[in-house]
Amino acid sequence: MYWLATRNAVVSFPKLRSLSSVFLRSPLRNYSPFRPSTLLLTRRFGQAYCFKDRRSLRGITKSSKKVKGSNNNILSDKDLSHIMWWQERLQMCRKPSTLHLVNRLKYSNLLGLDVNLKNGSLKEGTLNWEMLQFKSKFPREVLLCRVGDFYEAIGIDACILVEYAGLNPFGGLRPESIPKAGCPVVNLRQTLDDLTRNGYSVCIVEEVQGPTQARSRKSRFISGHAHPGSPYVFGLVGIDHDLDFPEPMPVIGVSRSAKGYCIISILETMKTYSLEDGLTEDALVTKLRTSRYHHLFLHTSLRQNTSGTSRWGEYGEGGLLWGECIARHFEWFEGDPVIELLLKVKELYGLENEVTFRNVTVSYENRPRPLHLGTATQIGAIPTEGIPCLLKVLLPSNCSGLPILYVRDLLLNPPAYEIASTIQAICKLMSKVTCSIPEFTCVAPAKLVKLLELREANHIEFCRIKNVLDEILHMYGNSELNEILELLMDPTWVVTGLKIDFETLVEECRLASVRIGEMISLDGESDQKICSYDNIPSEFFEDMESTWKGRVKRIHIEPEIAEVEMAAEALSLAVTEDFLPIISRIKATTAPLGGPKGEILYAREHEAVWFKGKKFRPTVWASTPGEEQIKQLKPAVDSKGRKVGEEWFSTLKVEEALERYHEAGAKAKAKVLELLRGLSSELQTKINILVFASMLLVIGKALFAHVSEGRRRKWVFPALKDIELDGADCLKMNGLSPYWFDAAEGSAVHNTVDMQSLFLLTGPNGGGKSSLLRSICAASLLGICGLMVPAESASIPYFDAIMLHMKSYDSPADGKSSFQVFWFLVLRL
């Protein structure tokens, strides 16, 4: 084992406390929506039930008995646990309006509806009954149901909407009706963002669009889900703007084995899982703190200590890990950790048992240990107040998003020697490139997978995917970039868990790029012009046709386009014959202020072209030009047959032409969406290639950005030595400077380090001891990751682990140092 450690550490352990007091006093992290409640905890094996007092349990039991006797709607033990889960969260509500709604809930069904209140009926065939059926499929998700122009929530879900989405309850706070809330269709995305930001998952139910028979209820279906880290994408294929896709949030499981602690991470979106075993408690806590996750599960193996005699956590035991876990919401599970956690994920997300998850675990053999929490915070790998952020100096200020996430994960989990050497070789080649480099289009793999899997990728996303593929092909075809591309294969394999042959990657990228190019209208192509006629406002055709034209190549929708163009011409003819004579008559009439007025306008809200006028009817009919057309006018009506206004008019011929045009446009749009969804289905067969290619470009962009910033700061590539192969065990750094200083500006103090064993570093306060140790630690970490270091030259052995321990109040960013302590640097070979 080879170790590089700096500074001594003092660790204190809190006094043992009972489980109930821990739950009462534990703090809450900002990113967690759940706060430890003031409820007493009643535990069963594998489940946690929380209530204010035992009367709550009796209230639910009595309610369930009433339901059993009256509606034959029996609450199972599983449904009861879900109701308990929701009741605990309702205890966290603080808004007065929410508390008024909570008081009207009755925990006799999953919706929390009191059937005795107004609109609370759960009889079969009612909307409430239908919503209850959907709720039973995803009982721990907020249910939003489309009803006309609104998405509505009732009962428990309405309370959550009012509390976290800033919505007002429907009907005010009248106590005689059930809790009800909702948002307009146009505000759905904002509402989902508010809920997922607070940690809630949402199930969205849509109406089947189209005509329905009189007095018949519209059919509804579950169109999708919104989870923290996984947004709602239904309908994205038909719009012309992009959707921000956050970093996916995994489901985390923690267990203990003979090797140490084990963390299992499962990404539902990617259908992948990874397992890291043999972790120390500190390393495990670091991983929990540096990643946001959707659910946390703790395995029952944690309840036993190494001798198997103590129940972990029950009496305040467990140390750092238990203190980290109690600040979050978690559930216990048992059995085989991987198998059981996968079953939990399938249950949470409503997946079929046949769905398979791919193992992307990369072996930790011959890899340095993951960075410890104290080390990560003291060098700014994890943003920490008072500590200069290492990530901010590794990349240019304009670099953000996925490249930063890659570099952060690289620092927290240093790679094996072979991968580190490959990364350094890539960076060296990048520093010598003389040709133009690609844009490095970054597409989140999770976004790509979800859009293709749900067939919701629109033409913008396909163009972006094609850019990714073309940039891979561009690098392959360039002699300077080809070697870089080939070297990037191994680091990409480590991140994705996908092992793909180089030539296979290139060939599959070429085939996918050609297929997209055959279907999608690319930038600069203009084979589909918007219809235009002088007598009809151009905004009408722009709004009606821009939603589908220019997305796929004309050759694929030629019949549909021809039908739309004929319908547009027929509409223009109808408007010319029925409206223009009236317009000409009004223009020919000279009258003082207040005379006849009239014009052809686009009624955007009704998607119609109508005549709008007043005082244009003649007082005496004399068969003059335009009179016949005036007699044909009738009041314009909306889609529900209601009169629009006193000044809007149409004719039977114009209405028929409008209907024909809209039908042709709807048919063309449906064809375009069908083609786009079909292309998504085709590319699903190449999903591994697309994920690999997108991640390769993310890594490429991150390393190119690092090299450009490193050269600007006058950093160097260290000689990375494998101690077992090279026999080198000496750490040498000439002209080492603190990473947070910019050597290019001449503001850094340089030091020379030549060490092979234990060093004792002493000196006066403010003499630079902390800065030197922090600089050595950061440079050593950067070196074993294959990155550039802030020195004039350096030779760094490939260490098994790097650790830095500082006083918590040491703050170099503020010029503050620990007071009257000794520092020491340990290198164990």
Side-chain angles (χ1 to χ4, degrees):
M1 298 291 291
Y2 307 96
W3 293 72
L4 174 66
T6 59
R7 210 163 196 176
N8 57 326
V10 178
V11 180
S12 63
F13 294 92
K15 294 181 179 180
L16 299 182
R17 295 171 293 181
S18 68
L19 182 61
S20 60
S21 64
V22 169
F23 267 89
L24 285 169
R25 299 176 187 174
S26 56
L28 174 69
R29 308 258 167 226
N30 292 332
Y31 51 79
S32 173
F34 307 122
R35 296 188 291 274
S37 66
T38 57
L39 313 178
L40 296 177
L41 192 66
T42 303
R43 284 201 179 274
R44 289 195 334 187
F45 188 70
Q47 292 179 317
Y49 294 156
C50 304
F51 293 99
K52 181 180 288 186
D53 52 42
R54 295 193 179 276
R55 286 178 294 177
S56 300
L57 179 59
R58 288 198 297 268
I60 293 181
T61 306
K62 289 179 180 179
S63 299
S64 62
K65 287 180 179 178
K66 290 180 181 180
V67 173
K68 290 179 184 179
S70 58
N71 296 334
N72 296 321
N73 185 14
I74 300 176
L75 276 176
S76 65
D77 289 341
K78 202 168 188 179
D79 290 341
L80 190 62
S81 70
H82 297 316
I83 293 176
M84 296 171 179
W85 188 87
W86 278 111
Q87 192 181 38
E88 182 182 0
R89 274 137 196 83
L90 292 173
Q91 292 286 342
M92 305 175 197
C93 296
R94 294 293 178 266
K95 289 184 178 180
S97 55
T98 309
L99 297 179
H100 279 291
L101 297 179
V102 171
N103 290 333
R104 283 185 256 159
L105 296 175
K106 194 168 186 179
Y107 302 103
S108 58
N109 52 74
L110 289 173
L111 292 172
L113 293 186
D114 186 345
V115 296
N116 297 316
L117 293 179
K118 184 180 179 181
N119 299 322
S121 174
L122 285 173
K123 290 183 179 180
E124 186 172 349
T126 62
L127 178 59
N128 290 351
W129 177 84
E130 188 176 0
M131 294 175 71
L132 181 60
Q133 309 312 305
F134 289 124
K135 184 74 173 180
S136 63
K137 296 180 179 179
F138 300 96
R140 296 198 181 184
E141 295 185 14
V142 177
L143 182 71
L144 289 181
C145 183
R146 175 77 176 267
V147 182
D149 295 330
F150 280 83
Y151 287 94
E152 296 183 0
I154 57 177
I156 294 172
D157 300 327
C159 298
I160 298 298
L161 248 64
V162 172
E163 180 71 17
Y164 296 105
L167 300 174
N168 294 320
F170 287 170
L173 300 175
R174 291 178 295 185
E176 68 275 7
S177 60
I178 61 172
K180 199 172 187 178
C183 68
V185 171
V186 294
N187 294 340
L188 175 64
R189 301 275 176 195
Q190 181 61 50
T191 301
L192 295 179
D193 288 344
D194 292 336
L195 294 173
T196 54
R197 192 184 305 115
N198 284 281
Y200 288 95
S201 294
V202 188
C203 176
I204 301 94
V205 175
E206 291 281 354
E207 290 179 334
V208 175
Q209 300 300 313
T212 58
Q213 297 179 354
R215 296 186 178 182
S216 63
R217 184 178 297 279
K218 284 193 174 182
S219 299
R220 292 182 173 86
F221 63 97
I222 294 177
S223 55
H225 305 264
H227 304 293
S230 181
Y232 181 60
V233 299
F234 179 78
L236 187 64
V237 66
I239 61 178
D240 58 357
H241 60 265
D242 197 9
L243 175 68
D244 291 333
F245 207 95
E247 183 183 4
M249 293 175 62
V251 172
I252 296 291
V254 178
S255 65
R256 184 158 58 183
S257 67
K259 296 181 180 179
Y261 289 99
C262 173
I263 184 170
I264 306 165
S265 178
I266 302 179
L267 280 173
E268 178 271 336
T269 303
M270 302 293 292
K271 302 298 185 294
T272 60
Y273 72 92
S274 61
L275 183 147
E276 298 178 51
D277 203 353
L279 298 175
T280 63
E281 185 178 39
D282 193 280
L284 178 58
V285 172
T286 303
K287 290 185 176 294
L288 292 177
R289 288 192 186 179
T290 55
S291 63
R292 298 185 64 204
Y293 45 81
H294 191 191
H295 291 278
L296 175 62
F297 290 91
L298 302 182
H299 193 261
T300 51
S301 59
L302 294 171
R303 289 176 166 172
Q304 302 294 328
N305 63 11
T306 53
S307 62
T309 59
S310 175
R311 294 175 64 83
W312 180 74
E314 187 167 356
Y315 300 104
E317 299 177 0
L320 184 63
L321 178 58
W322 177 244
E324 183 72 20
C325 291
I326 61 172
R328 308 161 184 262
H329 174 77
F330 68 86
E331 295 181 36
W332 292 101
F333 75 111
E334 59 177 333
D336 182 274
V338 174
I339 295 175
E340 292 301 322
L341 194 60
L342 287 173
L343 292 176
K344 291 282 187 183
V345 168
K346 292 179 181 179
E347 181 182 354
L348 282 170
Y349 295 99
L351 303 177
E352 300 293 336
N353 290 331
E354 293 74 21
V355 175
T356 58
F357 285 75
R358 181 168 51 88
N359 187 353
V360 295
T361 302
V362 177
S363 173
Y364 266 80
E365 292 183 10
N366 302 321
R367 289 185 67 176
R369 295 188 180 183
L371 221 58
H372 284 243
L373 182 61
T375 307
T377 55
Q378 284 299 325
I379 63 174
I382 300 175
T384 306
E385 185 178 0
I387 306 297
C389 183
L390 182 59
L391 289 174
K392 289 185 177 180
V393 301
L394 292 182
L395 303 172
S397 58
N398 61 352
C399 186
S400 61
L402 295 173
I404 287 184
L405 294 178
Y406 170 74
V407 173
R408 184 200 67 179
D409 291 342
L410 183 68
L411 296 177
L412 295 177
N413 302 279
Y417 176 78
E418 294 76 12
I419 301 300
S421 300
T422 302
I423 290 175
Q424 187 181 90
I426 294 170
C427 291
K428 286 181 177 179
L429 289 174
M430 288 177 171
S431 66
K432 301 175 183 178
V433 166
T434 58
C435 64
S436 61
I437 61 175
E439 291 292 332
F440 290 106
T441 302
C442 291
V443 179
K447 176 182 181 181
L448 191 151
V449 169
K450 184 166 186 176
L451 291 179
L452 293 181
E453 184 182 67
L454 298 180
R455 303 199 308 161
E456 291 290 343
N458 59 19
H459 66 292
I460 296 175
E461 203 61 40
F462 282 121
C463 288
R464 188 175 287 116
I465 294 172
K466 191 175 190 305
N467 289 339
V468 170
L469 302 173
D470 289 345
E471 287 170 11
I472 296 289
L473 297 175
H474 169 73
M475 294 180 69
Y476 178 74
N478 183 285
S479 57
E480 286 188 83
L481 300 178
N482 182 279
E483 188 176 357
I484 294 175
L485 177 65
E486 192 163 2
L487 288 174
L488 282 169
M489 298 290 289
D490 281 344
T492 307
W493 158 67
V494 171
V495 176
T496 62
L498 294 168
K499 198 75 172 178
I500 296 178
D501 179 71
F502 182 62
E503 294 299 331
T504 301
L505 172 69
V506 174
E507 182 61 24
E508 291 294 332
C509 285
R510 180 178 290 109
L511 293 175
S513 176
V514 170
R515 184 67 189 111
I516 294 174
E518 291 174 347
M519 180 64 66
I520 302 297
S521 291
L522 306 176
D523 294 338
E525 296 182 352
S526 56
D527 59 349
Q528 301 168 49
K529 294 183 179 180
I530 303 295
C531 293
S532 177
Y533 292 91
D534 294 337
N535 57 347
I536 296 178
S538 58
E539 294 87 352
F540 171 74
F541 290 116
E542 181 69 29
D543 288 353
M544 297 301 104
E545 299 179 14
S546 61
T547 58
W548 56 272
K549 275 188 175 178
R551 283 158 169 71
V552 302
K553 286 187 169 17
R554 184 184 182 108
I555 189 174
H556 302 294
I557 53 172
E558 187 64 54
E560 288 75 15
I561 289 181
E563 188 173 344
V564 169
E565 290 176 346
M566 288 189 292
E569 184 179 359
L571 176 60
S572 174
L573 180 61
V575 169
T576 300
E577 293 178 351
D578 288 3
F579 292 162
L580 281 188
I582 304 175
I583 300 297
S584 300
R585 177 187 178 90
I586 292 173
K587 290 181 177 179
T589 303
T590 57
L593 188 63
K597 294 181 180 179
E599 55 185 331
I600 301 171
L601 293 179
Y602 167 37
R604 179 174 276 105
E605 182 181 355
H606 305 283
E607 299 182 344
V609 175
W610 290 329
F611 173 77
K612 185 178 183 180
K614 61 181 179 179
K615 298 182 180 180
F616 57 87
R617 293 184 181 276
T619 54
V620 179
W621 299 89
S623 300
T624 55
E627 285 188 14
E628 185 63 30
Q629 286 75 20
I630 292 176
K631 293 178 181 179
Q632 295 176 11
L633 292 179
K634 63 177 184 176
V637 296
D638 60 17
S639 59
K640 297 182 179 180
R642 297 175 298 193
K643 187 176 178 180
V644 174
E646 297 297 332
E647 298 180 358
W648 290 95
F649 301 91
S650 185
T651 67
L652 181 60
K653 186 188 300 184
V654 170
E655 290 302 303
E656 289 177 349
L658 274 171
E659 184 178 359
R660 176 187 173 188
Y661 176 76
H662 283 309
E663 288 178 354
K667 184 178 179 181
K669 184 175 182 178
K671 180 64 175 180
V672 170
L673 298 184
E674 178 188 344
L675 293 171
L676 291 175
R677 289 195 167 101
L679 184 57
S680 289
S681 298
E682 289 184 48
L683 292 183
Q684 282 185 43
T685 60
K686 302 182 184 298
I687 195 67
N688 288 346
I689 294 292
L690 298 179
V691 167
F692 192 93
S694 63
M695 195 64 228
L696 185 148
L697 291 187
V698 169
I699 297 174
K701 185 170 185 175
L703 297 183
F704 255 116
H706 168 66
V707 169
S708 64
E709 182 66 11
R711 293 180 64 184
R712 188 193 70 78
R713 291 177 174 269
K714 297 184 178 179
W715 289 11
V716 299
F717 293 104
L720 185 61
K721 304 294 185 180
D722 188 334
I723 299 177
E724 294 183 356
L725 296 178
D726 303 327
D729 56 2
C730 183
L731 174 67
K732 295 182 179 181
M733 296 183 185
N734 296 321
L736 175 67
S737 63
Y739 66 84
W740 59 94
F741 288 163
D742 195 337
E745 298 177 357
S747 60
V749 176
H750 297 275
N751 292 277
T752 296
V753 178
D754 190 344
M755 56 186 295
Q756 189 173 358
S757 183
L758 176 69
F759 271 70
L760 180 65
L761 182 63
T762 64
N765 296 327
K769 301 183 295 297
S770 297
S771 296
L772 177 58
L773 295 179
R774 190 174 275 110
S775 301
I776 295 174
C777 178
S780 300
L781 176 63
L782 294 174
I784 67 171
C785 290
L787 304 177
M788 302 178 76
V789 300
E792 295 174 359
S793 64
S795 177
I796 301 176
Y798 186 75
F799 298 112
D800 278 351
I802 293 179
M803 292 182 290
L804 174 69
H805 288 268
M806 293 280 187
K807 292 291 184 180
S808 60
Y809 49 84
D810 192 88
S811 178
D814 301 321
K816 297 179 181 179
S817 177
S818 304
F819 183 67
Q820 292 183 340
V821 294
F822 288 95
W823 294 260
F824 66 85
L825 180 66
V826 179
L827 175 63
R828 194 177 82 181
L829 301 176

